[in-house]
Amino acid sequence: MTVVLTPQACCASQATPVPAPSLKVSHPLQPLTSAEIAKAAEIVRAAAPYGDDTRFETIELMEPDKASVRAFKPGDVIPRAARVNVFSATAIGVSRLVVSLDSRQIVSRQDFPTMRPMIQLEQFLAIEGIVRQDPDFIAGCAKRGITDMSKVCIDPWSAGNFGIPGEEGRQLCHVFAWLRLRENENFYAHPIEGLNAVIDLNSWEVIRVDDYGVVPVPMTEANYERDFVKTTRKPLKPINVTQPEGVNFVIEDRKLTWDRWSFVIGFNARESLTLHDIHFDGRPILHRASLVEMVVPYGSPENGHFRKHVFDIGEYGIGKLANSLKLGCDCLGAIEYLDVEMNMMDGAPLTIEKAICIHEEDAGLLWKHWDFRTERAEVRRARKLVVSTICTVGNYEYALYWYFFLDGSIEFEMKATGIINTVACIPGQPGKYGREVLPGVVGQIHQHIFCARLDMAVDGDANSVVECNTYAEPDGPANPYGNAFFEEETVLKRESEAARRANAPSQRYWKVINPNKLNYAGTPVGYKLESGNCVTPFVRPDSPSGRRAGFVQNHLWVTAYNGEERFPAGDYMNHSTGAGGLPDFIKQDRPIENTDIVLWHVFGLHHPVRIEDFPVQPCVTTGFKLMPANFFNGNPCIDLPPETNEASCCAHAQTA
């Protein structure tokens, strides 16, 4: 239901609002400040949709339209508005508000009476105490020989949507449990298998405890903290990254410039890191780029594990789970940190200090050629600018890295580390859906499937997508020596044509072109999507979980731009049905040729667990790259000045 409110209806409890002066910003897309977040919450409280039960899910910048962004000049004053999601603490339902921070008015409101908000950080922290006190859960622990409930550790998981009797019309959380033997010990080595509680987050009651039968709790320790781990290794000699003349980037508020790059760094509670208005040498490439969904399907149908199909972005919001980063450990070198501002459930500002890390890295060889006739060589080294954040979602750490290269390339890399989710088994009998990583401890097969939303603007907003496939020339007169192969390009004209999957046999890739801008060879300028980390989904598409994650069925989707089509599985993922995501967007079958378009790229990690993944998983990586494809007239780094690094020296390695 959509309600567009007049200022009088929205602010009936207020006196006539006095417009406040607009904030002077370095860029209209810079995120809300803590003062703006507090102001938005204050405005909403004055006309709270759920009265005293109103709670705040997210408060973020209501991004201005593209025309306003394009017209902005430094020093301009631009209206500031907030997008605010609120919900009831005692009933299901979400309301979406747009709040003018200048006029102090709610200018629009949409009510979604059957939707649920993301599970909030404050709720995470309360769930463990509720479950530990439940008589049925205590009895289940006692059957397993556990009597000290203070040692029981509870991880809240989203409950999904499975049509289970008694769960209708509620906002639920489903939990898994482990046993911590002593302070700071790694409890994931001691899963309490087969005992799960289901909690109503509105009434704060445990509505059911599922006990699938007793499996002995494995008691072997597997620790990772320095206080528990004895090392026989000698400390490694340091690698110091120094920039004695200072860094090469400049930051004004949230606008960054480096070499020929410029862009704005944003952040919000759902997506975490967002990048905006990305230009190279003054030429636009992307209007907005971010990771907009992450789903982790597990492969076991046993006990309560069938529910493990969590949307870490849409159901939790990874922004609030960002780490405060540590110099010399999380980030190495000459580092610039940015704090981030979000909101708590009561609307109060939440600040995470040093949540974003910015630095430069050497990136190896950029280009080189040695002319053997003249014995002259030219060589240039590459470097990259790194913008990163690290978020902890329960047992897993997700480290998000955006890289900008001197040659105009952009790369997104996801590093996954942390601790695998564990279950218990009879030692030596892990079953077919996992691998034993410690006697009696199993890591189940699973996947991490991500979706990036790339609002393309290659030399302007009028873009097209071209699919490129390589084929061998058929045997015959055109291929007398059997060596002929060629690339065929196909312009994707409508949304229905642009739901595509990777195809290794034809070396398929996609590129975004601007058919109105030509390079010196007379062909359209473009950017190529290098999609080398596509995964095959194994969850049945028509299953309860598969319906909620319809976006994973393709590796590329292209839609006509709509600023309200933000998330590939829908705006409200908690208990979702699967409606309102990419499969529904493309039913409109809008034209996507020579127009404003959005690329949605689906990629990920296929994870059959290794013993080496425990007790802490070494980083595994996935991602994609955007590479110039005929965007420049020649090598854009041909004019890079030569340099010799004077700090480099001979190693003088010791002989054995």
Side-chain angles (χ1 to χ4, degrees), residues 84-149:
V84 183
N85 274 349
V86 295
F87 63 98
S88 170
T90 59
I92 63 171
V94 181
S95 293
R96 182 190 303 161
L97 313 173
V98 175
V99 177
S100 168
L101 299 176
D102 305 314
S103 65
R104 301 183 65 89
Q105 296 171 347
I106 299 173
V107 296
S108 71
R109 170 177 158 185
Q110 293 174 280
D111 294 322
F112 302 93
T114 63
M115 300 300 182
R116 285 82 160 175
M118 297 185 294
I119 301 174
Q120 298 296 299
L121 179 62
E122 298 95 319
Q123 294 171 327
F124 272 29
L125 301 175
I127 287 166
E128 185 169 77
I130 297 293
V131 174
R132 281 175 171 175
Q133 297 173 22
D134 181 76
D136 290 338
F137 197 84
I138 292 172
C141 288
K143 288 167 60 176
R144 292 158 172 83
I146 302 167
T147 56
D148 185 352
M149 295 303 293

Side-chain angles (χ1 to χ4, degrees), residues 175-297:
V175 308
F176 295 87
W178 290 262
L179 182 67
R180 173 164 270 160
L181 302 185
R182 54 196 173 116
E183 187 178 12
N184 297 327
E185 186 257 353
N186 176 22
F187 61 85
Y188 288 111
H190 318 295
I192 303 172
E193 176 56 27
L195 188 65
N196 309 97
V198 183
I199 300 96
D200 188 312
L201 296 180
N202 292 133
S203 64
W204 286 101
E205 61 181 319
V206 176
I207 69 166
R208 193 178 71 249
V209 173
D210 297 325
D211 193 332
Y212 297 95
V214 175
V215 175
V217 177
M219 302 300 284
T220 302
E221 291 194 23
N223 290 303
Y224 60 90
E225 288 205 16
R226 68 189 68 182
D227 294 341
F228 298 106
V229 178
K230 294 181 180 179
T231 179
T232 58
R233 291 190 179 188
K234 293 180 180 179
L236 297 175
K237 297 174 183 177
I239 297 175
N240 295 323
V241 179
T242 63
Q243 292 184 267
E245 297 179 28
V247 298
N248 294 287
F249 56 87
V250 175
I251 300 177
E252 183 181 4
D253 294 325
R254 289 298 196 261
K255 183 176 181 181
L256 183 147
T257 56
W258 177 75
D259 188 54
R260 294 176 175 175
W261 288 103
S262 68
F263 53 90
V264 175
I265 301 172
F267 200 97
N268 63 61
R270 182 160 177 169
E271 301 162 271
S272 72
L273 195 57
T274 60
L275 300 177
H276 308 259
D277 205 23
I278 301 172
H279 286 69
F280 187 92
D281 203 17
R283 299 170 67 184
I285 297 171
L286 288 122
H287 179 70
R288 192 181 196 277
S290 69
L291 192 71
V292 285
E293 196 52 88
M294 174 191 345
V295 62
V296 187

Side-chain angles (χ1 to χ4, degrees), residues 338-396:
L338 298 178
D339 300 343
V340 298
E341 311 288 347
M342 291 167 287
N343 64 280
M344 301 296 287
M345 279 176 59
D346 63 0
L350 165 69
T351 299
I352 301 178
E353 296 180 344
K354 299 181 178 180
I356 299 174
C357 169
I358 304 167
H359 68 283
E360 296 171 273
E361 291 182 4
D362 179 84
L365 193 66
L366 176 61
W367 62 264
K368 178 177 181 176
H369 184 64
W370 175 62
D371 188 328
F372 69 91
R373 293 177 177 84
T374 63
E375 297 189 354
R376 290 167 60 88
E378 290 286 341
V379 59
R380 303 291 186 273
R381 289 200 65 79
R383 65 174 64 190
K384 59 186 177 183
L385 179 76
V386 184
V387 183
S388 65
T389 191
I390 303 174
C391 304
T392 300
V393 187
N395 53 296
Y396 255 106

